[in-house]
Amino acid sequence: MRVVGYIDGMNFYEASKYKHWYPAGWCNWTETIGVYCPGAAVSVKYFTSLYTGTDQKIVRRQKLHLLAMKEVAKARIFEGSCRQRPLKCPRCDEKLRCVCGCTKRTDEKMTDVNIAVQLLGDAIDGLFERAYLVSSDVDLLPAVWAALARAPKSQIHVLLPPETVMVEEFANLKRDYPDRSKSEYLDLGKMRRFPDDLPRRWNMRLPEHWKKESGKRPDNPEHQANSPRPERVAS
């Protein structure tokens, strides 16, 4: 069976950020999708946006993750863009300031359209027999419906990040397209991580808060990484 995974990277990241399963983000999505469909020929398309700030630690972390996705998972990377917009009152259009002092917000652009175009185009071209869409974004539903309509022999399964909201339209896929589509939550037990020592291949290191048992993402990962470790006491 030919299987393609469409991974909404930013959607998964935002869903996981303050959850105990945050380290699941160091995920080999090709192997993970393979667990859902054993024996299939799996390829992955990974959608994200590049960080546009000046913090080089964040730049290095994203570079590491995309290297692993490209070189090890053999995923094709699709990059959207991040755009900064001023915070404004929806009534009077007056500029606002967040409690943290921020006056701008960052919006991700082009990712939804990139996923929709790839999913629909691949379905029409017959490039998959089954697709797995990893996202909880309701904006992608029209693309799912269109792909199922234009490729009547294809299947599309939606895998939502744990602890996100499954809207009624996602829940109804199995009823509306029996034996062809369904929605379920990602099973953390089926997710396959990259090895923690993989970054050594590129003379890099795995961030402490990405390690398997590290728990939810800290508010300040750099502070956590720089904190002195307790000394070991010989028994």
Side-chain angles (χ1 to χ4, degrees):
M1 176 178 284
R2 291 169 298 144
V3 171
V4 180
Y6 301 83
I7 315 301
D8 188 344
M10 290 297 289
N11 183 269
F12 184 86
Y13 169 74
E14 290 297 332
S16 70
K17 194 156 51 174
Y18 296 113
K19 304 296 194 305
H20 72 279
W21 48 271
Y22 173 79
W26 182 234
C27 175
N28 185 327
W29 285 107
T30 303
E31 288 191 0
T32 297
I33 297 299
V35 174
Y36 278 88
C37 200
V42 178
S43 60
V44 161
K45 296 185 176 183
Y46 186 83
F47 302 83
T48 191
S49 293
L50 293 181
Y51 169 71
T52 56
T54 58
D55 190 329
Q56 291 304 303
K57 297 183 181 69
I58 298 177
V59 171
R60 287 193 293 271
R61 289 201 297 268
Q62 187 174 48
K63 180 181 179 180
L64 170 60
H65 184 232
L66 294 182
L67 268 172
M69 285 300 303
K70 183 178 180 180
E71 300 296 331
V72 179
K74 305 300 181 185
R76 186 177 173 190
I77 309 297
F78 292 81
E79 296 175 3
S81 67
C82 290
R83 307 288 176 89
Q84 284 197 330
R85 299 177 181 272
L87 291 171
K88 291 184 178 181
C89 174
R91 289 188 177 182
C92 65
D93 213 34
E94 183 71 20
K95 290 185 178 181
L96 301 175
R97 181 182 295 273
C98 177
V99 292
C100 70
C102 179
T103 59
K104 295 182 180 181
R105 68 177 184 182
T106 301
D107 292 334
E108 185 186 13
K109 296 296 181 183
M110 297 190 289
T111 294
D112 291 350
V113 174
N114 280 339
I115 296 174
V117 168
Q118 289 297 314
L119 179 63
L120 180 57
D122 290 352
I124 293 172
D125 292 341
L127 298 184
F128 61 78
E129 294 166 79
R130 181 184 296 172
Y132 287 91
L133 171 63
V134 178
S135 181
S136 60
D137 192 340
V138 70
D139 289 342
L140 295 174
L141 272 165
V144 173
W145 295 329
L148 290 167
R150 293 297 301 274
K153 294 183 179 180
S154 65
Q155 302 174 12
I156 300 178
H157 293 186
V158 179
L159 301 174
L160 289 81
E163 302 180 65
T164 55
V165 176
M166 183 184 295
V167 298
E168 184 179 0
E169 292 85 351
F170 275 136
N172 288 341
L173 283 173
K174 187 173 184 179
R175 181 200 68 189
D176 297 338
Y177 300 91
D179 301 321
R180 294 187 59 211
S181 188
K182 65 178 181 178
S183 297
E184 61 183 306
Y185 286 104
L186 270 163
D187 182 345
L188 294 174
K190 291 182 177 180
M191 296 186 71
R192 298 294 180 262
R193 287 168 50 86
F194 293 113
D196 281 2
D197 62 355
L198 176 64
R200 296 177 186 174
R201 178 182 300 188
W202 304 294
N203 293 319
M204 303 172 77
R205 68 176 183 85
L206 189 73
E208 289 293 321
H209 64 292
W210 288 14
K211 293 183 178 179
K212 187 174 182 179
E213 306 297 336
S214 58
K216 69 177 184 178
R217 181 184 183 276
D219 291 330
N220 189 340
E222 283 68 39
H223 177 75
Q224 183 203 49
N226 294 328
S227 297
R229 295 183 179 181
E231 295 181 1
R232 289 186 176 182
V233 178
S235 59

